[in-house]
Amino acid sequence: MTQENSGRHGRVVLVTGAASGIGAATARRFMADGWHVVLNHVDEGQRAAAQAVAASAGKGLKAVPLKGDVTKDADCRALIAGTVAEFGRLDALVNAAGISKMVPLADFEGLSPEDFQRIYAVNTIGPFLMMRAAAPHLVATGNGAVVNISSRAALTGTGSSIAYAASKGALNTLTLSFARQLAPHVRVNAVCPALTEQGFVERLAPESFAQRKAEQIARSPLQRIGKPEEVAESIHWLVTSAAMMTGVCLELDFGLHLNG
C-alpha cells in the first residue's frame, strides 16, 4: 500500500475473531483498501496474533486490537463503544469469530447439551449481540454493511458436527432477519465457504482435514479447497461493491452445489 492511498476514505470495520484464519485475512484485506480496522480477539492468548495482523497496516491507518468475548453482551457493547470512541464511526462489521467440536455426524452421543450451548453462544448468539450493539452506528453512516461468516455446513447439514451445522443454519436465518430490519440503511449478508485452509478443522484434526481436503478436491467441479484470502475477498466485495445485495447467504463452494 502506498502512503498516498492509506486511510484515504476514513472508513472503519470491526472484525471479530481477527487473530487467525478468515478473520485475520479479512482484516488484512480491508487494510489493503485503506480502511481502519478494529481487530477483536477473545483473550490475552490471542493478543500477540492480533497485534501481528495489526502490524501490517499501512501508513496513515489505525489497526486497533481489542479484547472481547462475543458471547457476553457487555463485551460486545464495549467493543462497539471502543470502536466509536477511537474513530467516531463504524461502517462495517464482520462476524468471523466461530468455534466447533469435531464429532462424526452419526455419533449422536458425542454431543452434549453443553456442547450445543457453547457452540451456539459463539456462532449464533455472538453475531446477534454484535449486530444489535452495532446497529445504531451502522445506520448512522447511511451505508453500513454486515457480513456474517457462515458455512456450507449450514446449507447441507454436514461439516464438523451437527451442532456446528445447526448453529450456522441459525446464523443464516439471523442474517435474513437483520437484513429486513436494518434496510434500507444497512446491508446484511453472509458467506458460506466450503472447506478452507487454516481453519479449525486443520488445527484441531489434521488427519480429518487431509481426508476432507482430498474428498472436496475429488468432488468439486473446480477441484480445490479455499484459502482465507479468497473468502476475505468475497467479504470485502459484499461490503464495498455489492450495493444491490442484502439478505444473501453466498455459497463459496467450488461448484459443489452442482452435484445436487
Side-chain angles (χ1 to χ4, degrees), residues 131-219:
M131 287 190 285
R132 179 171 69 177
H137 305 286
L138 294 170
V139 169
T141 70
N143 188 30
V146 177
V147 178
N148 295 317
I149 313 306
S150 183
S151 169
R152 182 171 180 268
L155 307 173
T156 62
T158 56
S160 54
S161 70
I162 287 177
Y164 176 77
S167 73
K168 293 299 188 176
L171 179 59
N172 284 4
T173 300
L174 196 66
T175 298
L176 303 182
S177 296
F178 270 85
R180 287 190 174 93
Q181 299 309 314
L182 296 185
H185 305 292
V186 182
R187 294 178 299 105
V188 184
N189 295 293
V191 293
C192 300
L195 187 66
T196 303
E197 293 177 353
Q198 300 177 34
F200 62 82
V201 177
E202 187 172 5
R203 293 194 301 271
L204 298 178
E207 292 183 3
S208 177
F209 173 78
Q211 179 182 349
R212 290 165 186 250
K213 177 179 178 179
E215 290 173 353
Q216 182 166 305
I217 290 172
R219 292 186 62 242

Side-chain angles (χ1 to χ4, degrees), residues 77-145:
R77 294 184 188 275
L79 284 169
I80 299 300
T83 300
V84 175
E86 178 72 32
F87 297 104
R89 62 188 294 164
L90 176 64
D91 298 270
L93 169 67
V94 178
N95 286 308
I99 62 169
S100 187
K101 181 178 181 180
M102 300 294 296
V103 179
L105 299 181
D107 182 8
F108 301 146
E109 298 297 332
L111 287 168
S112 67
E114 291 75 21
D115 291 328
F116 268 86
Q117 291 163 359
R118 181 175 63 90
I119 291 168
Y120 263 79
V122 177
N123 295 358
T124 309
I125 299 173
F128 168 76
L129 296 175
M130 289 299 300
M131 287 190 285
R132 179 171 69 177
H137 305 286
L138 294 170
V139 169
T141 70
N143 188 30

